């Protein structure tokens, strides 16, 4: 029996939401998921649909609307009841930054990317025994390096070290910033990967392997 996944994509086109949604869909279909796509956030109001899913993936950056926190109640309930949630980069942790309930659910929020795009930095695997990271070695990327505000309850799987590019934040010294994490929300599993500024970041084998494993791990 196929599991059901929903990918909600849209928002700022600079993050290539359709290309990333298509990549995720193609992979999930090889994992025996029945995948549907939505180009509207109104799907988050459909409680019965959400409760019938096994995996929800937001690929939505910079929502222009000011939404009431209650808008997310159906999703909070569904994940709390066992719906898995997985996402990457701004598509998840810069989607609805003004809504505290969303931030509480996802476990983190994008704050800055010093140096913007094109920064070379290292992803350090810090939990080498988790099924998402087992066998994956540290690797380098050239992209946006995400500085995050992160829930200390998260289980951090990988970090990156700041500062790479000098700025006012450099006065604080070196800090290892979470980049990949998991968390629980009731009966549901939540996975986040800060990589994903452009679709081609997932041409890097380690980055794509983390994302693939994270989606499968999160699913109900």
């Amino acid at each position: 029996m196929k599991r059901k996944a929903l990918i909600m994509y849209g928002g700022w086109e600079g993050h290539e939401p359709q290309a990333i949604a298509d990549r995720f869909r193609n992979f999930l279909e090889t994992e025996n998921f029945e995948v549907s796509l939505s180009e509207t956030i109104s799907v988050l109001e459909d409680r019965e649909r959400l409760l019938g899913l096994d995996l929800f993936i937001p690929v939505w950056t910079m929502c222009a609307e000011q939404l009431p926190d209650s808008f997310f109640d159906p999703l909070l309930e569904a994940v709390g009841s066992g719906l898995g949630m997985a996402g990457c980069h701004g598509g998840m942790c810069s989607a609805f930054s003004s809504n505290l309930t969303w931030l509480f659910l996802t476990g983190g929020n994008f704050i800055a990317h010093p140096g913007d795009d094109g920064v070379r930095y290292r992803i350090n695997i810090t939990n080498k025994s988790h099924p998402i990271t087992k066998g994956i070695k540290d690797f380098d990327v050239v992209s946006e390096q995400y500085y995050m505000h992160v829930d200390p309850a998260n289980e951090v799987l990988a970090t990156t070290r700041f500062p790479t590019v000098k700025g006012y934040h450099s006065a604080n010294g070196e800090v290892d910033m979470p980049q990949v994490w998991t968390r629980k929300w009731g009966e549901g599993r939540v996975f986040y990967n800060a990589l994903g500024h452009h679709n081609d970041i997932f041409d890097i084998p380690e980055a794509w392997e983390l994302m693939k494993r994270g989606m499968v791990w999160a699913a109900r």
Side-chain angles (χ1 to χ4, degrees):
M1 183 176 178
K2 289 190 175 183
R3 290 183 286 180
K4 294 182 178 181
L6 170 65
I7 302 173
M8 180 187 75
Y9 72 99
W12 184 55
E13 289 296 327
H15 277 162
E16 303 178 352
Q18 182 166 359
I20 288 179
D22 288 342
R23 178 188 285 264
F24 290 177
R25 178 195 61 196
N26 292 338
F27 164 70
L28 289 170
E29 287 177 346
T30 69
E31 294 292 313
N32 203 35
F33 281 84
E34 177 184 323
V35 184
S36 57
L37 284 79
S38 174
E39 295 182 74
T40 172
I41 63 172
S42 63
V43 70
L44 296 178
E45 299 177 288
D46 192 338
R47 176 179 177 274
E48 293 306 315
R49 183 178 183 183
L50 293 173
L51 287 170
L53 295 170
D54 299 290
L55 179 63
F56 170 66
I57 300 176
V59 187
W60 195 287
T61 307
M62 301 179 189
C63 179
E65 299 180 57
Q66 294 295 315
L67 300 167
D69 280 340
S70 60
F71 178 85
F72 299 98
D73 286 350
L75 180 62
L76 300 180
E77 179 186 353
V79 178
S81 298
L83 170 63
M85 181 170 170
C88 69
H89 200 65
M92 181 163 150
C93 283
S94 185
F96 306 101
S97 296
S98 63
N99 291 99
L100 296 181
T101 53
W102 177 266
L103 303 183
F104 198 12
L105 172 63
T106 61
N109 189 30
F110 158 74
I111 298 299
H113 42 63
D116 299 321
D117 196 10
V119 175
R120 179 175 293 276
Y121 62 97
R122 172 151 288 209
I123 297 295
N124 301 297
I125 305 299
T126 55
N127 183 335
K128 301 181 186 300
S129 62
H130 195 282
I132 293 174
T133 55
K134 192 172 183 178
I136 298 178
K137 300 182 183 299
D138 298 350
F139 61 100
D140 293 329
V141 300
V142 178
S143 185
E144 290 181 341
Q145 187 182 28
Y146 257 20
Y147 201 100
M148 313 286 295
H149 282 179
V150 179
D151 189 333
N154 294 344
E155 182 175 5
V156 177
L157 305 183
T159 64
T160 188
R161 181 159 292 181
F162 283 87
T164 300
V165 175
K166 289 186 177 180
Y168 294 123
H169 65 293
S170 302
N172 296 306
E174 291 188 343
V175 59
D176 290 321
M177 181 60 57
Q179 296 291 284
V180 181
W181 65 73
T182 64
R183 61 190 279 106
K184 299 290 183 64
W185 185 266
E187 298 297 318
R189 292 177 167 186
V190 178
F191 168 80
Y192 177 70
N193 181 355
L195 297 171
H197 178 56
H198 292 142
N199 178 45
D200 63 5
I201 196 74
F202 294 120
D203 292 340
I204 299 172
E206 294 90 345
W208 184 222
E209 191 64 28
L210 286 171
M211 197 68 227
K212 290 191 297 182
R213 292 184 189 180
M215 288 188 284
V216 173
W217 174 89
R220 189 196 305 264

